[in-house]
Amino acid sequence: MRARWAIAVAIAVLLLGRLPAGRFQGIGGPVNPPPTAPLLLQLQSTVDGLTRNIFPAVKDNYGFCIKDPQDDWDRTFNYTKDLDFLGDCADRTPDFSARLCTIAEVKFYFSSFIESGGKTSYLKPNKNCNSSSWVPGCEPGWASSVTPDVNVDLQESEYIPLRTLDSQPCCAGFFCPYGITCMIPCPLGAYCPVAKLNGTTGLCDPYKYQPPPSKPNHTCGGADIWADVDHSGDLFCPAGYYCPSTIQKNNCSSGHFCRMGFTHETSCYKSSTCHSNSEKQNTTIFGALVMVALILLLLIIYNFSDRILTYRERRQAKSREAAVRIAREAVQARERWKAAKNIAVKHAVGIQNQISRTFSRKVSNKLQESYKVLGLSRQLSDASTSDIEELSMLGNNNMTHSSEKISDISESPQMDIGDSYPRKNATKGKHMHTRTRIFKDAYIEIEKEKVLQQEKKNLTFSGVISMATKNEIRTRPIIEITFKDLTLVLKRNKKQLLKSVTGKLIPGHVTAIMGPSGAGKTTFLTALAGKTSGCQMTGLVLINGKVEPIRSYKKIIGFVPQDDIVHGNLTVEENLWFSANCRLSADMPTANRVLIVERTIESLGLQSVRNSLVGTVEKRGISGGQRKRVNVGLEMVMEPSLLILDEPTSGLDSSSSLLLLRALRREALEGVNISMVVHQPSYTLFSMFDDLILLAKGGLIAYQGPVRKVEEYFSGLGIIVPERVNPPDYFIDILEGIVKPGTSTAVKSNQLPLIWMLHNGYNVPPDMRNEVDSVNASFRSGISSDRGGSDEDSGDTDVWGDIKGAFEEKRDHIEHNFSKSKDLANRRTPGKLKQYKYYLGRVFKQRLREATTQAVDYLILGLAGVCLGILAKGNDANLGVAGYTYTIIAVSLLGQIGALRSFSLEKLQYMRERASGMSSLAYFLSKDTIDHFNTAVKPVVYLSMFYFFSNPRSSFADNYIVLLALVYCVTGIGYTFAICFQPGSAQLWSALLPVVLTLISTQQRNSKILTSLCYPKWALEAFVIVNAEWYSGVWLITRCGLLAKFHYDINHWALCIAVLFVYGFVFRCIAFICMVILNKK
C-alpha cells in the first residue's frame, strides 16, 4: 500500500514542480503586488522552459502510469484557460507567492502522507509545525508567509523555508495540508472553495475537518488534502456538476452528463435521457438497439445464406430432373428403335427364307465357323433361326455394331465408362458442359449400365454377344491381398486375437467374413487394413505378391466402420460429394465426378433422400438403413480398389441388404476387391458372395474358399446342413458349440480349424500339434514337416508386463499416427489448399444449420452483459476493475464452452477422414476460420449490453479490441480441451480454469512469474489501461496508485493484446498437435 502511494506521490511532486507557482520564482525581496496579465504571461513562458527540463525525468522514472507527460500536464495543471483564481488569491493575499509550497515542502507532505498509508491527514513535525512551534498556519486549510527578507525559491527541493508569519485561510483553488504552512494549487477537475462551518456538525464543509476548539477566531480555511478518491473524494468535482476551474462549480445542464472530476459537460446521445445534473447518460436504449440490430443482421445473414443453399439445391434438382427425363426418353426411344429393328429383321428373314432356305443354311454354317473363335458355338447351335438372322445382320458390319443396343442413344454421352480417366478435356474448350448436360450424360451412362447388367442377368444370346464385344468395362488398379500365418497378439496382456490365419482376397470378388462372436472378424479386417496398433503382428501380408505396407495404398482403400460415422448436419448428397471431392483424383473432370456420385446414389437407392439431412441423435433425419447405406457410399464414391466393410448389413432388412450387396457386386465388376463382415445373412444374400472366410473362436480359420463349395467341404467332414436351415447359420452354430456336428462324424467343433490346416497343408501352430493325433487319419497327410518354433509362454503376465504393454501400445499409436510410407496408389488427390476449400464449404454449411445453437449462445452472452453491466456500473474508485474482472470470467467461460462444440462432437468423423488420407491441417484450419466469425461477433454481442449498462469511460472500440483478443485466446484454449478431454471433463475444465486463473492474476501476493502466465492478467491489464487513460487531472494520483498496486504499465496495452493473441495461437498449435497425436476412442 505504501509503495503504491509512494509512486503516485512522486509523480505528483514532479508534476507540481511544473505548476504556475513556478512563475513567481525569482520574485524575491519585498512582497510583490498583485500580478497583472502581462506578468502572468511572462510567468507562463518561464514555466514552459522549466517543464522542458522536467519531461525526461517524469517519463523515465514514472512512465508506467504517464503515457504522455505533456498531455497529462495539460489536463492536470494547465490553468491558462482560466487564471482568475490566481488573481483572486493575489487580491486577497498580496504576498500569496510567498505562501506557495516549494518542491521540498511538497515532498515532505506526500512522504508523511505515504508513511501513514493515507489513513491520517496530519504530517510529521517539521521546522514550522512541531511541539514547540505551532502557528495557525499549521491547521488544515490555513497557510503562512515568510519574512520580507526571505527570497523563496519554489524549485528548492532540499530545505523547507521558515514560514510562520501572517497565517490566513488558504485561498480558493489551493489546498493547505494539516501540519504544513504553505499552499499547493488544486489540480484540474477539483473543486476547492473556501470551507464553511457547519453549525450542526461543527465541521468545515465540504472538507470535513474541524477548526481548533481553543481558538474561536480561527475560521474554516480552504481544502486540506489531495490524494486518491478514497481519501480525498471531497476535493473532486462532484458528479452531476462540472468545474471549468478549481473555484467554479456549474450544474450540468439538461441534455448533458457530468461525471466526477469533469471539467466540462459532455453532450448525451440524441436518443438518451439526460436530465439536469445527470451523472451518466442513460444508454440502455442504445444497448437494446445494438442488440436488436445485431439480431436482425444475423437473421438476414442466416436467411440469405439459407436461401443460397436452397436455391442451389433447387437448381441442381431441376438439372437432375431434366437429365433424368432426357435419359428416360432416350432409353424409350432406343427401345422403340430396337423393337422396330427386330420387326424389320424378322420380316426380312422371313422373305429371305421363302426365297432361298439353302442360302440361309450356308450363312448359318459360315457364321458357326466364324464364331467358334469366340467360343460361342454352343449358343449358336441352340439359337433360333431369327437370332441367327439377326446375328448375320450384325456380322455384316464386322461386329462393330453389336453394342448398338446399349450405345446407340439419341444423345450419346461425351465420356465412356471404360476409361480410367475418360476424356480429361471433355469439359474444356467449346464443348463446355452445362450442369444439365453433365447430369444428362451421367444418367444416360447409368441407364446404359443398367441395360448391360440386365442383359448379363438374362443371359440372352444378344446379351452374350454384346458382353463379348463390349470393351467399356472399366477396371481399377488391382489389389490382391495374400496373408500367411497371420498372428495378432495384444502387447498389454499377451492375448491372442488371430492365430495362423492363411488365405487370399481376390480382386473382383465379394468375400464374406463370418464366424461366432469373439472370433476376431473385425480384428482380422482391421489388421488387413493396417489399422492395428498396440499389437504384435507376425506372419506375412503380401500386396500383389510383394511385401509392402498396406498404408501405401490408403488412397485407393475404402474402410467402412461398423458404426455409421457420417455428418448428421449435412444432407446425403453433401456427405457423398465431400468424400468424392477430397478423395478422387485431383485431375478428374467434374463430369466424371458427377457420374460417380450419381451412380452411387442410384445404386444404393438414396434418390428419395438425397436432399435430406442425415440427422443426429437429437434431430431426426433419414432412417437407420438409409444412414447405413450412406456410410457405405462415402467409400464407394472414392472408387476404391480394396473395399473393406465391417458389418454393413447389421440393422438392415433383407431388401435393404440385397440392395446394398447388388451395389457392391457392381463395384466388383470393375475389379474391386471387396471384403465384408456379415452376421446371419439370408440364403439369397449368402449365395451372392463369391468367397467365404469362416473364423472360429480364437482367431482361427475353419474355411476359406468359394461359397459354392462350402457345403461340399463340410459334407466331406460328415457335417450336412439339414433341410430348411440356412447354411451359414448352421456352420456358425457349430463353431459356437450350440449345435453338435452330428452323429455321422467324429469331428468336434474345436477341431475344425486344425482340420482346415491339415486339409490345405498349412503350418500347424506348436500349441496345437498335440491335438493332431486325435484328428482322423484321413486329414493327417497335410501335416507340415516343419516343427520349428517353441511353445509360447503361458504364464500369467505380471504388473510390470501390463505397464510395459501399455507404454508400447501408446508408442505404437504415436508411430502409427506419424509414420509415413511411400505412396504406391498412383492417385494424386487434392492438396491441402484444395481440401481446405472443401472443408471450408462443409463447415460453413454446418454452421448455418446450427443457427439455433449459435443464437442461444449469443442470447446467453447478451444476458451476461446485462447482468454484469448492472452490477459493475463503472465504479470510478477502482477504474472499473471489478466489472472487467467479471467480464473476463464470463466471456472466458462462454467462449470456451462454445469452442468445445467445434471438435468434441466430430472426433469419430475426423478419425475416419484422417485414416483415409485427408489433411488434418485443412480440417483444423477450416474449423478455426469459420469460428473467426464468432470471435468477431461475440465481443459485439457482449459489449452491446455490458458497455451501455456499465458506462465505462473508455471507448467502445478500445473495449472491443480487448474482448476480441480475449475471445481469440479462450477459443484456442477451448479447442485444446475439446481435443484432449472427453466432453464432460472438457466442460468442467472450461468452467473452472477462468475462475482459478482470474483469482491468481488479481492477487498481489502471488509471484509475478505465476501471474504473468495467466491470460486473465493480460486481459484485465488491457481493460484497465484503456480505461485509465480517461482518468486525468484530479484523478491522476488515483490512476497511478491503482496501476502501481496491480503492477500494470499504461504503455503496455499493445503488449497485452499481442500476448492474448499469442496465447490463442499457441493453444491452437497445441490443440492441433494433440489432435494428430491422440487417438481416443
Side-chain angles (χ1 to χ4, degrees), residues 493-539:
N493 54 15
K494 304 304 180 183
K495 181 181 178 181
Q496 203 165 42
L497 304 178
L498 295 176
K499 190 173 184 179
S500 296
V501 177
T502 302
K504 180 185 294 187
L505 298 179
I506 304 173
H509 285 211
V510 181
T511 303
I513 301 172
M514 302 177 64
S517 298
K521 302 180 293 296
T522 300
T523 303
F524 171 65
L525 284 184
T526 305
L528 292 183
K531 296 178 179 291
T532 55
S533 58
C535 299
Q536 181 180 359
M537 189 171 67
T538 58

Side-chain angles (χ1 to χ4, degrees), residues 484-628:
K484 183 178 180 182
D485 293 332
L486 183 62
T487 302
L488 205 64
V489 180
L490 277 176
K491 292 181 179 179
R492 176 173 295 188
N493 54 15
K494 304 304 180 183
K495 181 181 178 181
Q496 203 165 42
L497 304 178
L498 295 176
K499 190 173 184 179
S500 296
V501 177
T502 302
K504 180 185 294 187
L505 298 179
I506 304 173
H509 285 211
V510 181
T511 303
I513 301 172
M514 302 177 64
S517 298
K521 302 180 293 296
T522 300
T523 303
F524 171 65
L525 284 184
T526 305
L528 292 183
K531 296 178 179 291
T532 55
S533 58
C535 299
Q536 181 180 359
M537 189 171 67
T538 58
L540 286 177
V541 178
L542 304 179
I543 309 299
N544 296 331
K546 300 178 181 179
V547 180
E548 293 172 342
I550 191 68
R551 296 186 66 188
S552 299
Y553 296 89
K554 65 180 180 180
K555 290 184 179 180
I556 55 175
I557 295 177
F559 185 88
V560 180
Q562 183 175 349
D563 299 323
D564 301 331
I565 303 175
V566 293
H567 292 278
N569 47 11
L570 295 178
T571 64
V572 172
E573 185 177 6
E574 288 168 352
N575 271 288
L576 297 178
W577 261 110
F578 178 79
S579 181
N581 285 331
C582 290
R583 301 177 66 184
L584 287 173
S585 178
D587 56 356
M588 179 178 286
T590 304
N592 290 41
R593 297 174 187 266
V594 172
L595 172 61
I596 293 169
V597 174
E598 295 300 322
R599 179 200 293 144
T600 303
I601 294 176
E602 184 75 21
S603 61
L604 293 175
L606 298 173
Q607 279 287 4
S608 59
V609 295
R610 64 183 302 154
N611 291 323
S612 301
L613 292 177
V614 173
T616 58
V617 177
E618 297 83 6
K619 188 175 182 180
R620 177 71 177 174
I622 59 179
S623 66
Q626 292 166 338
R627 185 185 180 94
K628 179 73 71 174

Side-chain angles (χ1 to χ4, degrees), residues 20 23 40-41 43-45 47-48 73-74 77-86 188 244:
R23 298 165 187 170
L40 293 177
L41 294 176
L43 297 176
Q44 178 183 357
S45 175
V47 117
D48 289 341
W73 160 260
D74 290 337
F77 297 114
N78 191 348
Y79 306 112
T80 55
K81 292 183 179 179
D82 189 354
L83 297 176
D84 291 342
F85 77 100
L86 293 177
L188 293 175

Side-chain angles (χ1 to χ4, degrees), residues 7-22:
I7 297 173
V9 167
I11 296 166
V13 171
L14 287 173
L15 289 176
L16 286 169
R18 301 156 57 192
L19 287 174

Side-chain angles (χ1 to χ4, degrees), residues 98 166 280 294 318 339 380 571 586 621 628 666 726 732 768 788 1005 1030 1036:
D166 192 19
K280 299 177 182 178
L294 184 63
K318 289 181 180 179
L380 282 168
T571 64
K628 179 73 71 174
R666 193 253 168 238
N726 193 14
I732 292 175
M768 296 180 64
R1005 62 176 176 268
W1030 295 80
L1036 183 63

Side-chain angles (χ1 to χ4, degrees), residues 298-471:
L298 294 176
L299 287 175
I300 291 172
I301 294 175
Y302 170 72
N303 290 328
F304 181 70
S305 302
D306 187 58
R307 287 181 178 274
I308 291 177
L309 292 177
T310 305
Y311 173 75
R312 184 171 177 268
E313 291 175 356
R314 289 178 180 175
R315 188 178 64 176
Q316 291 182 350
K318 289 181 180 179
S319 301
R320 284 194 303 271
E321 291 171 0
V324 171
R325 185 176 63 253
I326 293 173
R328 288 175 179 173
E329 290 175 356
V331 171
Q332 292 174 0
R334 173 186 169 276
E335 294 298 328
R336 289 194 298 270
W337 177 83
K338 284 178 60 178
K341 180 178 178 181
N342 290 337
I343 294 174
V345 170
K346 290 181 179 180
H347 182 67
V349 170
I351 295 175
Q352 189 176 11
N353 288 338
Q354 292 178 3
I355 296 175
S356 176
R357 294 183 179 275
T358 304
F359 179 75
S360 298
R361 294 191 190 97
K362 293 180 180 181
V363 172
S364 299
N365 293 334
K366 290 180 179 180
L367 286 174
Q368 286 182 352
E369 293 177 359
S370 62
Y371 284 107
K372 284 181 181 179
V373 179
L374 296 174
L376 302 173
S377 58
R378 181 176 299 177
Q379 288 86 339
L380 282 168
S381 63
D382 296 335
S384 62
T385 304
S386 61
D387 287 331
I388 294 175
E389 293 300 329
E390 182 182 354
L391 184 60
S392 66
M393 297 287 292
L394 298 173
N396 291 334
N397 293 320
N398 297 324
M399 297 299 295
T400 58
H401 300 289
S402 60
S403 60
E404 285 180 347
K405 297 185 177 185
I406 299 173
S407 61
D408 287 350
I409 301 177
S410 60
E411 293 280 344
S412 61
Q414 290 283 341
M415 50 187 166
D416 298 328
I417 190 175
D419 300 331
S420 297
Y421 301 102
R423 302 191 183 187
K424 294 182 180 180
N425 298 323
T427 59
K428 299 178 181 179
K430 61 181 180 181
H431 299 292
M432 183 68 69
H433 284 262
T434 62
R435 182 165 296 276
T436 303
R437 179 61 182 271
I438 292 175
F439 278 117
K440 183 191 69 173
D441 292 346
Y443 278 102
I444 288 176
E445 197 69 26
I446 291 172
E447 293 297 330
K448 289 168 62 178
E449 293 171 3
K450 287 181 179 179
V451 173
L452 181 63
Q453 292 175 4
Q454 187 65 33
E455 291 185 352
K456 177 184 177 183
K457 179 180 178 181
N458 294 337
L459 289 178
T460 60
F461 177 75
S462 58
V464 172
I465 297 299
S466 177
M467 290 176 58
T469 58
K470 185 73 175 177
N471 58 358

